[in-house]
Short mmCIF file of all heavy atoms in Angstrom, two decimals:
data_model
loop_
_atom_site.label_atom_id
_atom_site.label_comp_id
_atom_site.label_asym_id
_atom_site.label_seq_id
_atom_site.Cartn_x
_atom_site.Cartn_y
_atom_site.Cartn_z
N MET A 1 44.92 -69.19 19.69
CA MET A 1 45.17 -69.96 18.50
C MET A 1 44.32 -71.26 18.47
O MET A 1 44.11 -71.87 17.38
CB MET A 1 46.66 -70.34 18.33
CG MET A 1 47.55 -69.15 17.99
SD MET A 1 47.03 -68.28 16.48
CE MET A 1 47.24 -69.56 15.26
N ALA A 2 43.82 -71.67 19.60
CA ALA A 2 43.01 -72.88 19.66
C ALA A 2 41.56 -72.63 19.26
O ALA A 2 40.79 -73.60 19.08
CB ALA A 2 43.03 -73.44 21.11
N VAL A 3 41.21 -71.40 19.08
CA VAL A 3 39.84 -71.08 18.63
C VAL A 3 39.69 -71.68 17.19
O VAL A 3 40.50 -71.42 16.35
CB VAL A 3 39.59 -69.55 18.60
CG1 VAL A 3 38.26 -69.22 17.96
CG2 VAL A 3 39.66 -68.98 20.03
N PRO A 4 38.61 -72.46 17.00
CA PRO A 4 38.40 -73.05 15.66
C PRO A 4 38.34 -71.97 14.59
O PRO A 4 37.67 -70.97 14.72
CB PRO A 4 37.08 -73.74 15.79
CG PRO A 4 36.91 -74.05 17.24
CD PRO A 4 37.58 -72.90 17.92
N GLY A 5 39.16 -72.18 13.52
CA GLY A 5 39.20 -71.25 12.44
C GLY A 5 40.18 -70.11 12.59
O GLY A 5 40.35 -69.33 11.67
N MET A 6 40.84 -70.01 13.73
CA MET A 6 41.76 -68.92 13.98
C MET A 6 42.99 -69.12 13.13
O MET A 6 43.57 -70.19 13.00
CB MET A 6 42.23 -68.91 15.48
CG MET A 6 43.16 -67.75 15.84
SD MET A 6 42.47 -66.08 15.53
CE MET A 6 41.12 -66.03 16.68
N THR A 7 43.45 -68.03 12.48
CA THR A 7 44.69 -68.03 11.73
C THR A 7 45.73 -67.17 12.43
O THR A 7 45.36 -66.34 13.29
CB THR A 7 44.45 -67.50 10.29
OG1 THR A 7 44.11 -66.12 10.42
CG2 THR A 7 43.36 -68.30 9.55
N VAL A 8 46.95 -67.35 12.08
CA VAL A 8 48.02 -66.57 12.67
C VAL A 8 47.83 -65.10 12.28
O VAL A 8 47.95 -64.19 13.15
CB VAL A 8 49.40 -67.06 12.18
CG1 VAL A 8 50.52 -66.10 12.57
CG2 VAL A 8 49.69 -68.46 12.72
N ALA A 9 47.40 -64.84 11.09
CA ALA A 9 47.16 -63.44 10.62
C ALA A 9 46.03 -62.80 11.43
O ALA A 9 46.16 -61.63 11.87
CB ALA A 9 46.86 -63.42 9.17
N THR A 10 44.95 -63.51 11.65
CA THR A 10 43.84 -63.00 12.46
C THR A 10 44.27 -62.78 13.93
O THR A 10 43.97 -61.75 14.53
CB THR A 10 42.65 -63.91 12.40
OG1 THR A 10 42.24 -64.10 11.02
CG2 THR A 10 41.48 -63.40 13.20
N ALA A 11 45.01 -63.71 14.46
CA ALA A 11 45.50 -63.57 15.83
C ALA A 11 46.41 -62.34 15.95
O ALA A 11 46.35 -61.66 16.94
CB ALA A 11 46.24 -64.84 16.27
N ALA A 12 47.23 -62.13 14.94
CA ALA A 12 48.10 -60.96 14.96
C ALA A 12 47.33 -59.70 14.96
O ALA A 12 47.63 -58.74 15.69
CB ALA A 12 49.01 -61.01 13.76
N GLN A 13 46.23 -59.65 14.21
CA GLN A 13 45.37 -58.45 14.18
C GLN A 13 44.74 -58.26 15.53
O GLN A 13 44.69 -57.11 16.08
CB GLN A 13 44.26 -58.58 13.08
CG GLN A 13 44.79 -58.36 11.69
CD GLN A 13 45.31 -56.94 11.46
OE1 GLN A 13 44.67 -55.99 11.86
NE2 GLN A 13 46.48 -56.79 10.87
N ILE A 14 44.23 -59.32 16.12
CA ILE A 14 43.53 -59.27 17.42
C ILE A 14 44.55 -58.81 18.47
O ILE A 14 44.26 -57.97 19.30
CB ILE A 14 42.92 -60.60 17.80
CG1 ILE A 14 41.77 -60.93 16.85
CG2 ILE A 14 42.54 -60.63 19.25
CD1 ILE A 14 41.20 -62.34 16.99
N GLY A 15 45.76 -59.35 18.43
CA GLY A 15 46.74 -59.10 19.45
C GLY A 15 47.57 -57.81 19.16
O GLY A 15 48.44 -57.45 19.99
N GLY A 16 47.35 -57.19 18.06
CA GLY A 16 48.09 -55.95 17.73
C GLY A 16 49.59 -56.19 17.54
O GLY A 16 50.38 -55.37 17.95
N THR A 17 49.94 -57.26 16.88
CA THR A 17 51.33 -57.64 16.70
C THR A 17 51.53 -58.20 15.28
O THR A 17 50.64 -58.13 14.46
CB THR A 17 51.85 -58.57 17.84
OG1 THR A 17 53.26 -58.62 17.71
CG2 THR A 17 51.22 -59.90 17.73
N THR A 18 52.70 -58.78 15.06
CA THR A 18 52.95 -59.38 13.76
C THR A 18 52.73 -60.89 13.78
O THR A 18 52.71 -61.51 14.87
CB THR A 18 54.43 -59.12 13.39
OG1 THR A 18 55.25 -59.84 14.31
CG2 THR A 18 54.76 -57.68 13.39
N ALA A 19 52.55 -61.45 12.60
CA ALA A 19 52.33 -62.86 12.47
C ALA A 19 53.58 -63.67 13.00
O ALA A 19 53.39 -64.72 13.60
CB ALA A 19 52.03 -63.26 11.03
N ILE A 20 54.72 -63.08 12.78
CA ILE A 20 55.97 -63.78 13.27
C ILE A 20 55.91 -63.87 14.74
O ILE A 20 56.24 -64.97 15.31
CB ILE A 20 57.21 -63.02 12.77
CG1 ILE A 20 57.34 -63.11 11.26
CG2 ILE A 20 58.45 -63.50 13.45
CD1 ILE A 20 58.44 -62.23 10.66
N LYS A 21 55.55 -62.85 15.45
CA LYS A 21 55.48 -62.88 16.93
C LYS A 21 54.43 -63.83 17.40
O LYS A 21 54.60 -64.55 18.39
CB LYS A 21 55.26 -61.51 17.50
CG LYS A 21 56.50 -60.63 17.37
CD LYS A 21 56.30 -59.31 18.03
CE LYS A 21 57.55 -58.43 17.88
NZ LYS A 21 57.39 -57.11 18.47
N VAL A 22 53.29 -63.88 16.70
CA VAL A 22 52.22 -64.83 17.08
C VAL A 22 52.77 -66.27 16.95
O VAL A 22 52.54 -67.10 17.82
CB VAL A 22 50.99 -64.63 16.23
CG1 VAL A 22 49.95 -65.75 16.46
CG2 VAL A 22 50.35 -63.28 16.50
N SER A 23 53.45 -66.52 15.86
CA SER A 23 54.00 -67.86 15.64
C SER A 23 54.98 -68.22 16.75
O SER A 23 54.99 -69.29 17.27
CB SER A 23 54.72 -67.91 14.28
OG SER A 23 53.78 -67.83 13.24
N ARG A 24 55.85 -67.27 17.12
CA ARG A 24 56.77 -67.57 18.22
C ARG A 24 56.07 -67.83 19.53
O ARG A 24 56.40 -68.71 20.26
CB ARG A 24 57.73 -66.40 18.34
CG ARG A 24 58.79 -66.33 17.27
CD ARG A 24 59.70 -65.17 17.48
NE ARG A 24 60.60 -64.98 16.37
CZ ARG A 24 61.14 -63.86 16.00
NH1 ARG A 24 60.97 -62.75 16.71
NH2 ARG A 24 61.95 -63.83 14.97
N TRP A 25 55.07 -66.97 19.87
CA TRP A 25 54.36 -67.17 21.09
C TRP A 25 53.61 -68.47 21.09
O TRP A 25 53.62 -69.15 22.10
CB TRP A 25 53.37 -66.00 21.33
CG TRP A 25 53.96 -64.80 21.93
CD1 TRP A 25 54.10 -63.58 21.36
CD2 TRP A 25 54.53 -64.65 23.26
NE1 TRP A 25 54.70 -62.65 22.25
CE2 TRP A 25 54.99 -63.33 23.42
CE3 TRP A 25 54.71 -65.52 24.32
CZ2 TRP A 25 55.56 -62.86 24.60
CZ3 TRP A 25 55.27 -65.05 25.50
CH2 TRP A 25 55.74 -63.73 25.64
#
């Protein structure tokens, strides 16, 4: 998430999970 320009939605796609889980993590 510290990568410049990273969004929760993009992180979720990269991590193969949901945006809610990314937000929690």
